[in-house]
């Protein structure tokens, strides 16, 4: 029996899919591998498709519009359905100019040779097929590792940038996302946390501002320059994050995720105890005067038989 291998191609105009699909199927026709090629037109669609299906290989064209705007590229190695996938990247840029999450991939600089690309894909797929038995322990362990729902993360990112833009902080830049140890303290000094829960997991979302970014945001919100953290302006973080999470709630709820009311946590070095088996992700942002961080931590819930 052939072993099915799911391949996600992130390609907005079908050219990459048309380039590799038929030759790949033909050359693997008599092998033990049955490739299934699925295309996503951008990072958002890739996130949705990888939420519902596990992929053995992800092929990305970095020139796809809006690919770098959301969390998919930056968290591709932490999401549960792509964390073990082999990654192949095609780009006009040099590998050193790509996000860190893509630098460990098999890299092809445009213009790419179709024969070389297909050969690399076949080599990887055949190697995985023949090496399955040796890889079973690692794969079994990975199956129990939870990775956060990228759609939830993208909803919070979108709401955060929208709300801060409305407050008059347009120069907000998302930096490289990455995994976060669940029990590590928050990096900011003023944080707001909401608990989240679905049928599959429970955990929390947090937005944590350092002093510089918080004073910048609250100054624009209060329309008065704030130079120091005080009890009065620290209370504003609850209102800011109420607005952010409120903007994201409808979308997050549509994914079957429930949220509590935000709780403010003041002071540097604060943390929330997490159960063993939880996993997390952090997305840093830079403003003109500091940084803030979105973190999401979740623990899988046991399925009821």
């Amino acid at each position: 029996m052939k072993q099915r291998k799911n391949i996600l191609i992130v390609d907005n105009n079908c050219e990459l899919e048309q380039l590799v699909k038929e030759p790949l199927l033909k050359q693997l026709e008599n092998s033990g591998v049955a490739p299934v090629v699925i295309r996503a037109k951008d990072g958002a669609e890739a996130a949705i498709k990888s939420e519902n299906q596990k992929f053995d290989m992800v092929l990305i064209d970095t020139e796809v519009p809006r690919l770098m705007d959301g969390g998919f590229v930056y968290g591709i190695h932490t999401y549960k359905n792509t964390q073990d996938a082999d990654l192949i990247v095609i780009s006009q840029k040099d590998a050193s100019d790509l996000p860190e999450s893509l630098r460990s991939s098999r890299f092809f600089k445009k213009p790419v040779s179709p024969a070389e690309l297909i050969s690399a894909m076949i080599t990887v797929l055949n190697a995985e097929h023949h090496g399955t038995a040796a890889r079973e322990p690692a794969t079994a362990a990975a199956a129990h590792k939870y990775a956060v729902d990228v759609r939830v993360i993208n909803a919070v990112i979108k709401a955060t940038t929208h709300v801060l833009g409305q407050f008059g902080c347009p120069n907000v830049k998302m930096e490289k996302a990455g995994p976060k140890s669940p029990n590590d303290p928050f990096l900011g000094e003023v944080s707001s946390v909401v608990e989240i829960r679905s049928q599959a997991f429970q955990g929390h979302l947090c937005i944590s501002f350092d002093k510089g970014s918080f004073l910048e945001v609250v100054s624009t919100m209060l329309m008065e320059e704030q130079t120091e953290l005080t009890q009065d302006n620290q209370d504003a973080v609850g209102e800011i994050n109420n607005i952010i999470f409120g903007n994201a709630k409808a979308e997050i709820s549509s994914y079957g995720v429930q949220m509590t009311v935000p709780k403010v946590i003041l002071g540097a070095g604060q943390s929330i105890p997490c159960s063993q088996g939880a996993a997390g992700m952090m997305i840093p942002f830079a403003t003109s005067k500091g940084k803030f961080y979105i973190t999401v931590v979740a623990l899988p819930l046991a399925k009821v038989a």
Side-chain angles (χ1 to χ4, degrees):
M1 180 180 295
K2 288 194 174 187
Q3 185 176 12
R4 173 174 170 150
K5 292 291 182 180
N6 294 324
I7 303 169
L8 177 62
I9 298 181
V10 187
D11 167 31
N12 65 310
N13 57 20
C14 299
E15 289 183 2
L16 193 53
E17 180 185 20
Q18 292 172 355
L19 180 71
V20 304
K21 184 174 180 178
E22 291 304 322
L24 194 66
L25 294 174
K26 185 175 181 179
Q27 293 191 42
L28 288 172
E29 187 176 4
N30 297 318
S31 74
V33 176
V36 177
V37 178
I38 298 167
R39 187 178 72 89
K41 65 182 179 182
D42 55 26
E45 187 170 279
I48 293 171
K49 292 191 173 183
S50 62
E51 174 63 24
N52 300 315
Q53 186 168 12
K54 186 172 180 63
F55 288 98
D56 302 281
M57 177 181 290
V58 180
L59 178 59
I60 294 176
D61 181 344
T62 63
E63 275 65 59
V64 168
R66 301 182 302 279
L67 180 65
M68 304 298 181
D69 294 344
F72 178 73
V73 161
Y74 296 92
I76 194 168
H77 296 301
T78 65
Y79 305 144
K80 62 181 178 181
N81 283 335
T82 58
Q83 62 186 4
D84 296 324
D86 278 280
L87 183 59
I88 298 179
V89 173
I90 300 170
S91 181
Q92 292 178 349
K93 301 177 181 179
D94 293 330
S96 58
D97 294 328
L98 297 178
E100 187 174 350
S101 57
L102 301 183
R103 292 179 193 170
S104 60
S105 66
R106 290 170 174 82
F107 176 77
F108 290 86
K109 182 87 177 275
K110 289 185 175 181
V112 61
S113 161
E116 290 182 10
L117 176 60
I118 293 164
S119 176
M121 295 176 71
I122 290 173
T123 299
V124 171
L125 292 170
N126 279 328
E128 283 191 339
H129 172 64
H130 292 303
T132 299
R135 288 168 5 111
E136 279 179 359
T139 303
H144 295 286
K145 179 182 176 183
Y146 174 78
V148 293
D149 187 335
V150 67
R151 297 177 300 173
V152 173
I153 299 170
N154 283 339
V156 177
I157 291 172
K158 183 168 62 176
T160 301
T161 54
H162 173 70
V163 169
L164 295 187
Q166 287 188 323
F167 281 165
C169 300
N171 298 319
V172 176
K173 181 181 178 182
M174 186 172 72
E175 299 183 336
K176 295 173 183 175
K180 175 193 179 297
S181 177
N183 292 302
D184 281 352
F186 303 134
L187 295 181
E189 295 187 43
V190 184
S191 308
S192 184
V193 178
V194 295
E195 296 179 4
I196 55 175
R197 185 182 181 93
S198 73
Q199 291 183 340
F201 66 86
Q202 64 181 14
H204 66 262
L205 286 164
C206 173
I207 303 179
S208 184
F209 295 87
D210 70 9
K211 181 178 178 179
S213 68
F214 177 72
L215 291 176
E216 179 182 3
V217 173
V218 81
S219 292
T220 60
M221 178 182 177
L222 300 177
M223 294 184 290
E224 182 179 343
E225 185 67 21
Q226 306 289 308
T227 58
E228 292 296 332
L229 294 173
T230 67
Q231 184 62 50
D232 289 339
N233 64 30
Q234 285 177 346
D235 289 342
V237 73
E239 185 173 348
I240 293 169
N241 288 349
N242 263 324
I243 297 171
I244 291 173
F245 288 129
N247 271 255
K249 185 175 182 179
E251 184 173 349
I252 289 174
S253 297
S254 72
Y255 306 138
V257 179
Q258 299 176 334
M259 302 167 59
T260 62
V261 175
K263 176 177 66 176
V264 176
I265 300 177
L266 304 177
Q270 302 287 336
S271 63
I272 295 179
C274 299
S275 301
Q276 185 176 1
M281 180 180 180
M282 181 176 70
I283 306 99
F285 292 77
T287 71
S288 57
K289 294 185 179 179
K291 290 192 174 185
F292 67 92
Y293 310 86
I294 293 176
T295 60
V296 55
V297 172
L299 175 75
L301 297 176
K303 293 182 178 179
V304 179

